[in-house]
């Protein structure tokens, strides 16, 4: 029965088999380095609407929200097709698997992704990522606690370069004000979540910071950070009132308290800190209502993303 059920998607034995596969990867490759979640929004993304509409050219013909909802609800195959496309592009271009470049987080040694359904039956991905030549949590701890090494500084530089816990251009109130002003001056401008990302211009070989290529690249990066903040504000900010079953009752001593199942609001950390006893990392985080995310991944996926570093033993 177990042998047959292990090949039936969604069965208890099938889930047990997947856990066994993850443990096998961990035994072979060591501890995973990153845990990544993303949920492509089929009702917003132009590629999903293109699949559902069936026309030859729809972009940048931005359809209104109700029409997008009807198109996707009438064609669930288009939604599944879109999700498959986004996952394949993520594996190739972000993880660097099957391409001629390294991944965004480093050289990929292995990955394991599972697909789940949200409340409205759209698909999202949980993925564990292993990196080549990654240190074990114990080795990282030993190097962090070594006072004669500059490993701490280099490690923080790496972590902060690939994932952040706050907005890129200011606080949440600053971003809300900027987005409100943009809507006021350009009311017909569609949201960032329904626009495709703008390709980056070719960089200057000499990095002179004076030529037309450097100016164009600097302008692109300025718009990049503004657009990432707009996407995060629209997709990543947690709101318990919008999440079904988010509030749960928890006994604290003799009292019963209402808490958020998703553990919001999160702790504010003004500067990155290391615990001198066990080497645990507390990275800088200035926003309590958003999860960790990778700006470039958010820019490419145009949806809610969640990226967690597992390089610290306490994080695992």
């Amino acid at each position: 029965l177990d042998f047959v059920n292990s090949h039936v998607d969604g069965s208890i034995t099938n889930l047990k088999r997947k856990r066994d596969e993850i443990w096998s990867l961990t035994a072979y490759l060591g501890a995973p380095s990153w845990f990544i979640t993303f949920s492509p929004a089929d009702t917003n993304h132009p590629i999903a609407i293109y699949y559902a509409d069936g026309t030859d050219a729809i972009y940048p013909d931005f359809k209104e929200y109700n029409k997008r909802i009807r198109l996707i609800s009438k064609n669930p195959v288009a939604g599944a097709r879109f999700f498959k496309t986004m996952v394949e592009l993520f594996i190739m271009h972000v993880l660097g698997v099957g391409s001629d470049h390294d991944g965004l987080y480093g050289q990929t040694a292995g990955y394991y992704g599972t697909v789940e359904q949200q409340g409205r039956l759209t698909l999202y991905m949980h993925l564990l990522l292993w990196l080549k030549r990654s240190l074990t949590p114990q080795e990282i701890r030993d190097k962090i606690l070594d006072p004669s090494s500059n490993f701490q500084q280099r490690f923080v530089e790496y972590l902060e370069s690939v994932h952040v816990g706050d907005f890129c251009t200011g606080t949440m109130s600053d971003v809300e004000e900027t987005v409100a002003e943009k809507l006021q001056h350009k009311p017909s401008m569609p949201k960032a979540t329904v626009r495709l990302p703008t390709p980056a211009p070719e960089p200057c070989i000499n990095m002179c910071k004076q030529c037309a290529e450097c100016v164009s690249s600097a302008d692109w990066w300025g718009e990049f950070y503004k657009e990432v903040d707009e996407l995060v504000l629209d997709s990543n900010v947690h709101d318990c009132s919008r999440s079904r079953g988010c509030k749960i009752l928890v006994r604290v001593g003799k009292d019963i308290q209402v808490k958020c199942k998703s553990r919001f609001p999160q702790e504010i950390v003004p500067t990155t800190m290391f615990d001198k006893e066990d080497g645990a990392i507390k990275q800088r985080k200035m926003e309590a209502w958003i999860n960790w995310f990778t700006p470039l991944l958010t820019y490419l996926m145009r949806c809610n993303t969640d990226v967690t570093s597992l390089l610290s033993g306490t994080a695992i």
Side-chain angles (χ1 to χ4, degrees):
L1 285 174
D2 277 349
F3 176 79
V4 174
N5 283 338
S6 67
H7 294 82
V8 178
D9 288 339
S11 67
I12 298 298
T13 314
N14 182 254
L15 297 178
K16 180 177 178 292
R17 180 190 181 193
K18 290 180 179 180
R19 286 196 293 272
D20 291 341
E21 289 173 343
I22 293 173
W23 280 116
S24 298
L25 271 175
T26 303
Y28 182 67
L29 298 174
S33 301
W34 293 92
F35 180 65
I36 303 170
T37 300
F38 55 87
S39 51
D42 51 8
T43 55
N44 290 335
H45 206 286
I47 293 178
I49 304 304
Y50 171 78
Y51 284 152
D53 201 19
T55 57
D56 292 333
I58 64 167
Y59 189 80
D61 175 23
F62 301 101
K63 300 183 183 298
E64 62 176 1
Y65 178 73
N66 289 334
K67 189 168 185 179
R68 298 200 304 268
I69 289 286
R70 286 196 296 270
L71 282 172
I72 294 297
S73 61
K74 289 179 180 178
N75 196 340
V77 173
R81 228 180 123 195
F82 159 70
F83 179 80
K84 181 175 183 291
T85 299
M86 295 298 286
V87 171
E88 289 174 346
L89 292 173
F90 168 82
I91 292 171
M92 175 176 287
H93 297 290
V94 177
L95 301 187
V97 178
S99 65
D100 57 356
H101 61 80
D102 293 341
L104 179 61
Y105 303 92
Q107 287 187 317
T108 298
Y111 62 89
Y112 196 98
T114 60
V115 181
E116 296 184 18
Q117 285 183 336
Q118 300 183 84
R120 62 187 185 90
L121 304 184
T122 54
L123 305 175
Y124 68 101
M125 169 73 73
H126 289 307
L127 185 136
L128 282 170
L129 173 63
W130 286 262
L131 298 180
K132 290 183 180 178
R133 296 182 293 278
S134 178
L135 299 175
T136 66
Q138 183 63 45
E139 289 172 333
I140 291 174
R141 176 183 181 276
D142 294 341
K143 287 180 176 292
I144 285 175
L145 297 177
D146 184 1
S148 62
S149 172
N150 65 343
F151 181 81
Q152 273 193 23
Q153 177 185 350
R154 292 163 56 199
F155 193 50
V156 170
E157 288 174 354
Y158 166 70
L159 289 177
E160 293 183 346
S161 70
V162 290
H163 81 318
V164 295
D166 40 52
F167 291 94
C168 303
T169 60
T171 63
M172 186 184 298
S173 58
D174 294 333
V175 175
E176 287 174 337
E177 186 177 341
T178 301
V179 172
E181 288 179 1
K182 181 179 177 181
L183 291 175
Q184 187 176 1
H185 290 91
K186 297 180 180 179
S188 61
M189 184 72 171
K191 284 184 172 183
T193 50
V194 300
R195 303 196 305 265
L196 288 174
T198 304
E202 289 293 329
C204 170
I205 298 176
N206 300 319
M207 301 294 287
C208 64
K209 298 183 180 180
Q210 296 177 351
C211 65
E213 287 85 356
C214 286
V215 172
S216 177
S217 183
D219 291 342
W220 184 87
W221 279 107
E223 291 301 317
F224 166 85
Y225 289 119
K226 291 179 184 177
E227 195 157 308
V228 166
D229 281 352
E230 186 180 343
L231 289 164
V232 170
L233 182 67
D234 194 70
S235 304
N236 274 44
V237 178
H238 182 75
D239 185 354
C240 292
S241 64
R242 294 187 303 178
S243 303
R244 185 178 177 184
C246 186
K247 293 291 187 180
I248 57 175
L249 298 177
V250 178
R251 180 180 291 277
V252 180
K254 296 182 179 180
D255 301 327
I256 301 294
Q257 297 182 4
V258 179
K259 290 195 174 183
C260 172
K261 187 170 66 174
S262 302
R263 303 176 187 175
F264 285 98
Q266 297 180 357
E267 181 184 2
I268 298 295
V269 182
T271 57
T272 301
M273 298 180 293
F274 291 89
D275 191 311
K276 294 182 180 179
E277 297 295 328
D278 60 9
I281 308 164
K282 274 192 174 182
Q283 190 176 330
R284 179 182 185 274
K285 191 177 194 305
M286 298 302 292
E287 294 293 341
W289 292 97
I290 61 175
N291 272 323
W292 297 96
F293 67 95
T294 299
L296 190 56
L297 181 61
T298 298
Y299 187 76
L300 293 172
M301 303 297 286
R302 327 297 283 184
C303 64
N304 176 265
T305 60
D306 182 358
V307 178
T308 304
S309 171
L310 302 179
L311 294 171
S312 165
T314 52
I316 293 176

